[in-house]
Amino acid sequence: MTNLLAYRTALVTGASRGIGAAICRRLTGLGLTVYGVARSREALAEVVDTLGVVPVVADVRDAEAVVAGLGGAEIDVLVNNAGMVATVKPLYEQSAEEIAETIAVNLTAPMLLMRALLGGMVARKRGHVVNITTTAARGVLAGTSAYGGAKAGLAHACRSLRYDLAGSNVRVTDLAPGRVETEIYLRAFGGDRDRLNQTMYGSVRALQPADIAEAIAAVLMLPQHVDVTEIEISPTDQAVGGHVFKAPEA
């Protein structure tokens, strides 16, 4: 596949399924060599076998292990996609462990990976960081204080990075999706897929993982002097905070 971009390689966290797998598919289709991060080789089997993704078996919270798994590869595009929602309930009902894990995965892990990889991008004068945040970082979704707070921190870090990287030819994009049909809330729903689907996706034509991957491809393919710094992408049927207005019956 001919490389259509100014970049050669990409690192995608949370690559084994959902949005991460869709991003891997789109970027390999553009001719990039894609390194995919997940906690087990088995989880990565499909993207490795069907797309040729290079597996990086590591916990995303261990930036040193992720970098070691790259085997010295120079990364041009970092997609911080891995995220998790430990629970959906008032903050005072969440455990300290749930809050700490939520912040570690959604904020600390991407910050440490950016720290590890941005130096090389700056030195090569070539690079793009895409941080996948959420509309919950801007609006209010009930029961997501820790998740929304962590993602809001990551969104603000993107804005600060624009100052750090201005003039370096390294671009930064904060991509904030609304409701996407994935399993990110499955744990918060106690593993009950039917209840998750009925509650989250029953009345909304949710975004699909491929929609997010397409948005990323679009910003990567823009000329190097253009940086799309923030994108909010939402289902047509959904407003801020997850609100859905039900039109009168015809």
Side-chain angles (χ1 to χ4, degrees):
M1 176 67 67
T2 302
N3 190 339
L4 302 176
L5 304 175
Y7 308 122
R8 305 165 189 165
T9 59
L11 175 64
V12 179
T13 66
S16 62
R17 60 185 179 179
I19 295 173
I23 295 168
C24 288
R25 181 175 301 280
R26 189 68 178 93
L27 297 188
T28 55
L30 289 174
L32 290 176
T33 298
V34 177
Y35 294 78
V37 180
R39 285 180 290 183
S40 74
R41 175 62 174 76
E42 292 73 23
L44 288 165
E46 184 173 352
V47 294
V48 169
D49 296 342
T50 63
L51 304 176
V53 167
V54 182
V56 178
V57 179
D59 189 318
V60 73
R61 292 170 290 185
D62 188 345
E64 291 184 359
V66 174
V67 173
L70 295 173
E74 295 180 346
I75 297 299
D76 296 329
V77 178
L78 168 61
V79 182
N80 278 314
N81 162 70
M84 57 85 67
V85 180
T87 185
V88 179
K89 56 188 176 184
L91 186 69
Y92 56 83
E93 293 182 3
Q94 297 180 30
S95 69
E97 292 75 18
E98 288 172 333
I99 294 169
E101 184 181 11
T102 298
I103 294 171
V105 172
N106 294 296
L107 177 58
T108 308
M111 292 288 288
L112 292 179
L113 267 181
M114 288 190 289
R115 172 189 173 274
L117 297 178
L118 275 171
M121 294 182 188
V122 170
R124 294 187 297 274
K125 297 187 182 300
R126 184 181 71 246
H128 200 135
V129 175
V130 179
N131 288 320
I132 298 182
T133 59
T134 172
T135 54
R138 295 163 164 80
V140 176
L141 293 175
T144 62
S145 297
Y147 175 67
K151 290 291 194 179
L154 184 58
H156 192 75
C158 289
R159 300 184 191 106
S160 295
L161 274 171
R162 290 286 299 118
Y163 282 81
D164 296 343
L165 298 172
S168 69
N169 202 45
V170 178
R171 303 186 291 185
V172 181
T173 299
D174 167 14
L175 196 161
R179 192 165 299 178
V180 185
E181 192 169 353
T182 71
E183 295 185 349
I184 189 171
Y185 283 101
L186 184 60
R187 174 176 167 182
F189 277 76
D192 188 336
R193 294 177 188 274
D194 290 338
R195 188 164 69 91
L196 168 65
N197 290 334
Q198 182 178 1
T199 303
M200 298 293 292
Y201 311 122
S203 61
V204 174
R205 296 174 297 172
L207 298 172
Q208 297 301 308
D211 299 327
I212 308 305
E214 199 61 43
I216 291 173
V219 299
L220 293 180
M221 287 191 288
L222 286 168
Q224 288 290 292
H225 70 282
V226 180
D227 186 359
V228 179
T229 58
E230 297 183 9
I231 300 176
E232 182 171 297
I233 177 172
S234 176
T236 302
D237 298 338
Q238 181 191 14
V240 175
H243 176 73
V244 177
F245 182 81
K246 296 185 180 298
E249 295 289 339

